[in-house]
Amino acid sequence: MVEIGSLLANTQAMAAPEELLNLSLNAKAVLPEGFVLLALIGTLLVDLAGEETAAKWSPPLCYVGLGTALIILAYQWNGPAESSFLGAFVADNFSIAFRGVIALSTLFSLLISWRYAKQSGSPIGEYAAILLAATLGAMLLCGSTDLISVFISLETLSVASYLLSGYLKRDARSSEAALKYLLVGSAAAAVFLYGASLLYGLSGSTSLESIGISIQNSPTPLAALALVFILATVAFKIAAVPFHQWTPDVYEGSPTPVVAFLSVGSKAAGFALAVRLLVGCFSAFDIQWKLLFTVLAVLSMTLGNVVALAQTSMKRMLAYSSIGQAGFVMIGLVCGTEEGYAAMILYMAAYLFMNLGAFACIILFTLRTGSDRIIDYAGLYQKDPLITLGLSLCLLSLGGIPPMLGFFGKIYLFFAGWADGQYLLVIIGLITSVVSIYYYISVIKMMVVKEPKEASELVMAYPLIKWDAMGMPTLRFALLTCVLATAIGGVLSNPLFKLANSAVAGTPLLQQALAIASEQSAIG
C-alpha cells in the first residue's frame, strides 16, 4: 500500500507541471490576440520583400487576422471566464465586448487607410504592422488583471500610437504631434508606475484582485494617493479634461486614419482599463473615485462641446467632440449599475460606427482637395452627394438626433444616470448635447445650404470622382457600412442593448461589484 501511495504521489507530482503549464498558457483565452500577432508578423515579412509586395499582401493579411479574431471573439461570447498568463489576463464578456470594438475599429481604420497611405507616399507594410501592434496592446489591455500585464499592454499601445502619430515624416505638424504625444504619454506612464508601485507596496502583490482585497481590508491614505495617480493615467488615456491638452494637437497633426483609430480603439481600451482598475481595486474608495469621475465628466462635456464651437478645422472639431463624447460615456461608469455599464458598452459600439464614418468622409474630402478647413466644405452637395449625405448622417448621430444610433446610445446613458440619481450629470449632458448639435449642424449647413455661387474654391475645382483607384473600393465599403449602421442602428438598438446587458451579466468582476453595492444599499 505504501508503494502504491508513493507511486500515486509521484504521478501527481509529474502532472503538476502540466497543470501549471495549462494555467500559464491557456492559449484559447488569447487566441484572438494570437491571430492579430500572426497578421502583424506576416505584414513585417512581406514588407521585407519590397513596397509593391507589401502593398499587395498586407491588406489581405490584416483582413484575415482581424476577421479571424472577431470570429473567435464571437465564439467565446457567453462562455465561462477563462484566465491566461498565470491569471494576468481574463477573457470574460466585458473584455470580449471591448476587444471586439477595438478589432472592428482597426479593421475599418485599415479600410480607409490604404488610399491615404498610398497618396501620402507612406510605406503600407510598416503602417499596417504598427497599427496591428497598437491593436494588440489595446486588446490585451481590456482583459489585463495584473499590474505588470496592464503596464506592458498600455506601453505597447502607447509606443505604437506615438509612431503612428508621426508617420508622415515629411509633415512638420505630424512630427510635432508625435513629440507632444510622446512627452505627455511618457509622463502619464511614469505617473502610472508610481501609483502601481504604491499598490504593490501596500498589498505585496501585482494581482488586481489581491490588491483590491488588501485595500478593502485596510484602506490607507497611501491607497488614496495611488488612486489619484491611477485615475490621472486613465483620464489621460480617455482624453478627459483637464488631461486633454494633447488631444487637439495630436488629432490635427496625425494622419487622419490614425486619428480615426485613436478616437475609438484607444479610447475603448482606456475605458476598459478604467473599469478593471477602479472597480477591481478601489471598491473601498467607491464614493471618492465616482466623485472625481463626476467632476471629470462635467468638465469634459462642458469644455469639449463649448470649445468645439470655435474650431475651423474638421479634425480639431472632432477632437474636442471626442472629449465631450468621453464625458457622456463616463456617466455610465459613475452610475456603477448594471444599466450604466451596459449603456457604456452600447455607446462605445455606436461611437465606433458614427465616428469612423465621419472620418471616412473627411479622408475622402482631404484626398480630393487637400484641405481640412470646415469653410472649404461649402457647397459640397453639388459635387459629392455621397460625402455630404454620409457626413451629415454621422454628425447628426454624434449630436444625438433621432432616429440615429447615437440618439439611442445617449438615451440609454441618460436613463441609467437618472435611475441612479446622477441628475447633475444628466442635465449637463442634455445641455451640452444641444450645444454639440449646433456645431454639427453648422457643418451640414455649410455643405448643403450654400448657393452654387457661394461654394468654396476647392469645391468649384473638385476633381472627377474615380472609385477604381487603389484603396478607393475599400474606403467606399467602410464609408457605406458605417453610415448604414449609423442610420438604421437605432432601430436595432434593443437587441444591441440586450447584448450589452449580457456582457455585464457574463463578467464576474462586475457582478461581484453589483452584489456588494446591493448589500451596502440594503444595509443603508
Side-chain angles (χ1 to χ4, degrees):
M1 293 293 293
V2 175
E3 292 179 356
I4 294 174
S6 177
L7 180 61
L8 289 173
N10 291 334
T11 304
Q12 291 173 355
M14 292 175 64
E18 295 180 2
E19 294 175 2
L20 182 62
L21 184 63
N22 291 333
L23 177 64
S24 64
L25 294 178
N26 193 12
K28 188 169 72 171
V30 289
L31 203 55
E33 286 78 8
F35 277 96
V36 174
L37 180 60
L38 287 176
L40 165 61
I41 296 172
T43 54
L44 288 175
L45 291 176
V46 298
D47 188 57
L48 295 175
E51 182 57 31
E52 291 186 5
T53 306
K56 179 181 179 181
W57 289 104
S58 292
L61 283 171
C62 294
Y63 300 153
V64 170
L66 291 168
T68 307
L70 286 168
I71 292 171
I72 296 172
L73 287 171
Y75 179 76
Q76 290 178 344
W77 184 257
N78 277 338
E82 296 186 349
S83 297
S84 182
F85 301 132
L86 281 176
F89 180 89
V90 64
D92 51 24
N93 274 9
F94 180 81
S95 72
I96 290 171
F98 274 88
R99 288 151 72 198
V101 169
I102 291 166
L104 265 179
S105 70
T106 305
L107 182 59
F108 282 111
S109 298
L110 286 169
L111 288 172
I112 64 179
S113 294
W114 307 125
R115 185 60 192 171
Y116 189 95
K118 179 73 174 177
Q119 192 159 313
S120 63
S122 302
I124 291 178
E126 293 178 9
Y127 169 80
I130 299 173
L131 187 57
L132 288 174
T135 305
L136 183 63
M139 291 177 69
L140 289 172
L141 189 61
C142 294
S144 294
T145 56
D146 189 276
L147 289 176
I148 296 174
S149 61
V150 166
F151 182 71
I152 292 174
S153 304
L154 185 63
E155 285 307 288
T156 302
L157 169 61
S158 299
V159 172
S161 300
Y162 306 151
L163 294 172
L164 289 170
S165 299
Y167 202 69
L168 298 179
K169 303 177 183 66
R170 290 183 286 272
D171 189 345
R173 293 186 308 167
S174 183
S175 301
E176 180 185 354
L179 181 60
K180 289 181 178 179
Y181 199 8
L182 171 63
L183 293 175
V184 181
S186 301
V191 168
F192 174 81
L193 280 178
Y194 193 75
S197 66
L198 290 176
L199 292 177
Y200 177 72
L202 290 168
S203 63
S205 172
T206 57
S207 169
L208 298 186
E209 183 179 2
S210 300
I211 292 171
I213 294 172
S214 177
I215 294 177
Q216 183 71 34
N217 293 334
S218 58
T220 63
L222 274 180
L225 181 62
L227 168 63
V228 173
F229 287 130
I230 296 296
L231 191 140
T233 305
V234 170
F236 163 78
K237 210 63 199 169
I238 62 177
V241 178
F243 303 92
H244 70 288
Q245 295 93 337
W246 61 274
T247 311
D249 293 332
V250 170
Y251 276 39
E252 185 178 27
S254 302
T256 311
V258 172
V259 179
F261 170 77
L262 292 177
S263 66
V264 179
S266 182
K267 199 177 292 290
F271 277 108
L273 174 64
V275 172
R276 291 287 176 199
L277 289 174
L278 298 176
V279 177
C281 289
F282 294 101
S283 57
F285 294 94
D286 187 71
I287 297 175
Q288 288 81 358
W289 73 254
K290 285 184 177 179
L291 176 62
L292 290 173
F293 255 98
T294 300
V295 175
L296 291 178
V298 170
L299 291 175
S300 299
M301 288 187 290
T302 305
L303 185 139
N305 288 298
V306 171
V307 177
L309 292 169
Q311 301 308 308
T312 58
S313 163
M314 281 294 293
K315 286 203 289 185
R316 285 188 76 90
M317 185 198 78
L318 288 179
Y320 282 105
S321 166
S322 74
I323 295 170
Q325 300 291 339
F328 295 133
V329 180
M330 278 188 268
I331 295 176
L333 184 59
V334 170
C335 291
T337 60
E338 185 171 358
E339 293 78 11
Y341 292 129
M344 183 175 70
I345 295 171
L346 174 64
Y347 197 76
M348 284 308 304
Y351 187 63
L352 160 71
F353 291 106
M354 54 193 182
N355 206 51
L356 287 178
F359 273 107
C361 295
I362 293 171
I363 288 173
L364 266 176
F365 185 79
T366 304
L367 289 173
R368 290 167 180 165
T369 64
S371 174
D372 179 49
R373 297 191 306 163
I374 295 175
I375 195 172
D376 288 330
Y377 283 74
L380 183 61
Y381 78 99
Q382 308 164 41
K383 298 294 182 71
D384 203 329
L386 177 61
I387 293 182
T388 304
L389 177 63
L391 187 56
S392 298
L393 291 176
C394 290
L395 292 179
L396 289 174
S397 184
L398 284 167
I401 300 294
M404 303 298 174
L405 181 58
F407 167 76
F408 290 95
K410 283 187 179 178
I411 283 295
Y412 285 133
L413 279 172
F414 293 158
F415 277 164
W418 196 266
D420 190 53
Q422 305 295 334
Y423 305 122
L424 174 64
L425 285 178
V426 175
I427 292 172
I428 295 294
L430 289 169
I431 294 173
T432 53
S433 290
V434 174
V435 174
S436 70
I437 291 171
Y438 176 81
Y439 62 78
Y440 289 136
I441 290 184
S442 296
V443 177
I444 299 172
K445 179 182 176 182
M446 184 73 66
M447 293 188 294
V448 177
V449 178
K450 292 288 184 180
E451 296 294 330
K453 61 181 179 181
E454 296 177 339
S456 66
E457 294 182 2
L458 291 176
V459 168
M460 289 181 178
Y462 206 73
L464 184 66
I465 300 174
K466 296 180 180 180
W467 291 105
D468 56 349
M470 182 266 177
M472 292 300 285
T474 58
L475 179 52
R476 178 171 58 179
F477 173 78
L479 170 59
L480 293 175
T481 303
C482 289
V483 170
L484 190 63
T486 301
I488 70 171
V491 181
L492 305 174
S493 60
N494 193 46
L496 290 175
F497 192 66
K498 289 181 179 178
L499 285 174
N501 275 327
S502 65
V504 178
T507 305
L509 171 67
L510 298 181
Q511 289 303 307
Q512 183 180 358
L514 292 172
I516 293 173
S518 178
E519 290 177 5
Q520 291 176 346
S521 63
I523 294 173

